[in-house]
């Protein structure tokens, strides 16, 4: 309906109003500009000041884990990913005299840690709150390679086992845009120049002793406090995107909480990232019905009376209360049996309706008021019927 408030539609679909959406896109464009240009913190003036509004100026340039794409066609180390059948049979066969290490990364709450387990080494590495699990996995391999370089191995068969396929794929890729991954590749190349280095994938949490030890060490690192200036390593692009996404989500929610209108809609709608997906999968006709019900701007007698289409707002079924969307969907006693058949309960809370499958809600309202969607097209034609 034309009377549906835009603030309720924003909350329903979890989107920003236009002026805030433009601000978000401007911040994303500023990040792209700064990435490809030599801009320092003191240069963030004019339109680039928007970076400071989002508090992203400390995460760019010097601490961002991004670099111009570098190629890596010479990979002197091997990356082997045995299938699970091989591991079920006892794992890949290693050459006699191989030096075996296990590495792992972990994130517990907001903190991240890495672990390295092998001959003469059992190391837990606290990494603070900024790195991702992927970065922890790569950092563990980098730490293992640096340990081997410090030990000055020569003509050794070094095997490094990791349960992160993403990390292994990044290390053997022909292109690289991550400073941390590139640093790990350089260390592995130095190690492989005098040794035979092979990286193996190992399935995680399958009772393999070395991997379990590395996992425990990574958890210890994540549980320990990081000592030193944050961030531990470069901030990944996904972390910057997540900060912008968090701002977007919190802004949508704060907009909705701050409005003092749409009292009916507030009973139902709670902004979320998942709900719009199920709503936008509906056809236009059903989406119109569910939007009217959730916002209260629908052909209920209460709303039709408010906009001057009919005189009485009493429920057409029980004739005791105002016929609002909430009354029909949640607590009209006459409709309790139909509600029980569709939802499994005779009386419901508005949030239960909001969390329900939208098709259930639509089927229920069409079951009790068959001409509901026709009313949206011709609200005046049903005045006599009501």
């Amino acid at each position: 309906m034309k009377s549906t408030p835009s603030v309720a539609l924003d909350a329903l679909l979890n989107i920003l109003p236009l002026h805030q959406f433009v601000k978000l896109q401007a911040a994303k464009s500023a990040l792209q500009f700064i990435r490809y240009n030599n801009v320092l913190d003191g240069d963030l003036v004019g339109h680039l000041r928007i970076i400071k509004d989002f508090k992203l100026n400390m995460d760019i340039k010097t601490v961002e884990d991004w670099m111009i794409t570098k190629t890596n066609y010479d990979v002197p180390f091997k990356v082997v990913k045995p299938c699970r059948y091989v591991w079920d049979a006892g794992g890949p066969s290693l050459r006699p005299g191989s030096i075996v290490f296990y590495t792992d990364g972990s994130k517990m709450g907001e903190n991240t840690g890495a672990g390295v387990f092998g001959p003469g080494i059992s190391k837990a590495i606290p990494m603070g709150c900024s790195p991702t699990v992927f970065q922890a996995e790569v950092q563990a391999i980098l730490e293992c390679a640096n340990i081997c370089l410090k030990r000055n191995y020569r003509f050794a068969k070094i095997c490094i086992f990791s349960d992160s396929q993403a990390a292994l794929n990044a290390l053997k890729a022909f292109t690289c845009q991550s400073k941390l991954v590139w640093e790990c590749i350089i260390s592995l190349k130095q190690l492989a120049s005098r040794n035979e280095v092979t990286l193996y994938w190992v399935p995680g949490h399958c009772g393999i002793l070395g991997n379990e030890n590395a996992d425990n060490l990574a958890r210890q690192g994540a549980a320990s406090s990081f000592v030193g200036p944050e961030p531990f390593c470069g901030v990944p692009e996904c972390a910057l995107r997540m900060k912008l996404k968090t701002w977007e989500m919190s802004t949508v929610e704060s907009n909705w909480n701050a409005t003092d209108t749409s009292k009916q809609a507030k009973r139902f709608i709670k902004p979320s990232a998942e709900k719009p997906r199920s709503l936008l999968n509906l056809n236009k006709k059903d989406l119109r019905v569910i939007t009217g019900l959730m916002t209260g701007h629908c052909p209920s007698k209460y709303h039709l009376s408010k906009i001057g289409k009919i005189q009485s707002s009493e429920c057409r079924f029980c004739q005791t209360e105002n016929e609002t969307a909430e009354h029909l969907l949640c607590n009209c006693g006459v409709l309790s049996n139909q509600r029980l058949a569709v939802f499994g309960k005779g009386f419901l809370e508005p949030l239960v309706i909001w969390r329900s499958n939208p098709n259930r809600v639509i089927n229920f309202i069409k079951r009790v008021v068959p001409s509901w969607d026709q009313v949206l097209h011709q609200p005046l034609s049903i005045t006599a019927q009501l």
Side-chain angles (χ1 to χ4, degrees):
M1 285 186 168
K2 293 181 179 180
S3 59
T4 306
S6 59
V7 65
L9 293 175
D10 290 341
L12 182 78
L13 296 177
N14 197 51
I15 58 177
L16 295 169
L18 182 59
H19 69 284
Q20 291 177 335
F21 175 78
V22 170
K23 182 178 181 180
L24 179 64
Q25 297 306 310
K28 292 179 179 179
S29 298
L31 281 176
Q32 289 293 325
F33 178 84
I34 290 170
R35 168 173 289 173
Y36 291 102
N37 294 274
N38 188 23
V39 178
L40 303 177
D41 190 63
D43 299 325
L44 298 179
V45 295
H47 293 300
L48 292 179
R49 285 183 60 84
I50 197 169
I51 293 295
K52 294 185 177 181
D53 294 343
F54 286 86
K55 298 180 181 179
L56 296 175
N57 52 307
M58 295 304 295
D59 296 334
I60 57 178
K61 275 306 189 187
T62 57
V63 295
E64 188 185 9
D65 185 35
W66 181 88
M67 64 180 185
I68 297 175
T69 303
K70 291 186 178 181
T71 56
N72 178 37
Y73 297 117
D74 178 24
V75 184
F77 53 88
K78 297 179 182 178
V79 177
V80 180
K81 293 188 284 185
C83 63
R84 289 188 176 270
Y85 299 110
V86 174
W87 286 105
D88 292 339
S93 57
L94 305 180
R95 295 176 63 180
S98 297
I99 305 172
V100 179
F101 294 90
Y102 289 87
T103 65
D104 205 354
S106 178
K107 194 173 187 72
M108 298 175 62
E110 294 185 353
N111 293 326
T112 310
V116 181
F117 177 78
I121 185 67
S122 183
K123 188 173 183 179
I125 309 165
M127 297 178 64
C129 60
S130 62
T132 62
V133 176
F134 169 79
Q135 287 182 305
E137 298 279 3
V138 175
Q139 179 65 35
I141 298 173
L142 171 61
E143 189 69 25
C144 181
N146 288 338
I147 289 170
C148 293
L149 288 172
K150 289 178 182 178
R151 292 181 178 180
N152 202 24
Y153 286 130
R154 294 289 189 276
F155 310 109
K157 305 175 186 66
I158 300 172
C159 302
I160 303 174
F161 288 82
S162 172
D163 61 6
S164 173
Q165 293 200 43
L168 296 178
N169 289 336
L171 292 172
K172 73 171 184 177
F174 295 131
T175 59
C176 179
Q177 288 185 316
S178 166
K179 294 177 183 176
L180 180 61
V181 173
W182 187 253
E183 184 181 355
C184 187
I185 290 172
I186 295 301
S187 294
L188 289 171
K189 282 186 174 183
Q190 291 177 1
L191 185 63
S193 65
R194 297 177 180 177
N195 302 276
E196 183 181 324
V197 180
T198 307
L199 277 64
Y200 288 92
W201 173 76
V202 55
H205 310 290
C206 291
I208 299 171
L209 183 59
N211 180 255
E212 294 296 327
N213 289 333
D215 181 60
N216 291 333
L217 290 168
R219 290 175 180 272
Q220 290 177 25
S224 303
S225 299
F226 171 66
V227 179
E230 292 270 14
F232 175 87
C233 58
V235 179
E237 182 184 2
C238 64
L240 297 177
R241 289 199 305 266
M242 183 55 66
K243 282 194 175 184
L244 294 175
K245 188 66 178 177
T246 301
W247 178 87
E248 180 182 3
M249 294 288 295
S250 62
T251 304
V252 170
E253 188 172 352
S254 62
N255 289 344
W256 185 230
N257 292 334
T259 183
D260 54 359
T261 59
S262 306
K263 293 182 180 179
Q264 290 187 72
K266 277 194 167 184
R267 298 277 294 163
F268 285 103
I269 300 172
K270 298 295 179 186
S272 70
E274 294 78 21
K275 191 65 177 180
R277 297 192 188 104
S278 60
L279 294 177
L280 294 176
N281 283 331
L282 301 171
N283 59 51
K284 289 184 180 180
K285 187 176 179 181
D286 289 343
L287 181 58
R288 183 180 68 247
V289 172
I290 199 73
T291 301
L293 290 170
M294 295 299 100
T295 60
H297 289 250
C298 59
S300 64
K301 292 184 68 176
Y302 175 76
H303 185 66
L304 291 175
S305 68
K306 284 189 69 175
I307 60 178
K309 301 300 182 184
I310 59 176
Q311 297 296 321
S312 173
S313 63
E314 286 185 354
C315 175
R316 73 191 76 184
F317 299 104
C318 65
Q319 284 88 41
T320 57
E321 297 185 35
N322 288 330
E323 186 188 278
T324 62
E326 181 181 349
H327 177 71
L328 291 173
L329 292 172
C330 299
N331 45 45
C332 180
V334 178
L335 301 179
S336 60
N337 287 334
Q338 289 93 327
R339 219 175 279 116
L340 181 66
V342 176
F343 297 103
K345 289 185 178 180
F347 297 90
L348 300 169
E349 292 294 324
L351 283 182
V352 175
I353 296 292
W354 172 248
R355 293 167 183 154
S356 299
N357 188 313
N359 287 308
R360 276 189 175 187
V361 182
I362 293 166
N363 291 337
F364 170 77
I365 201 66
K366 289 182 178 179
R367 181 172 180 168
V368 298
V369 190
S371 61
W372 187 266
D373 51 350
Q374 298 175 13
V375 176
L376 287 168
H377 288 295
Q378 300 174 338
L380 292 175
S381 66
I382 64 159
T383 304
Q385 300 176 27
L386 296 176

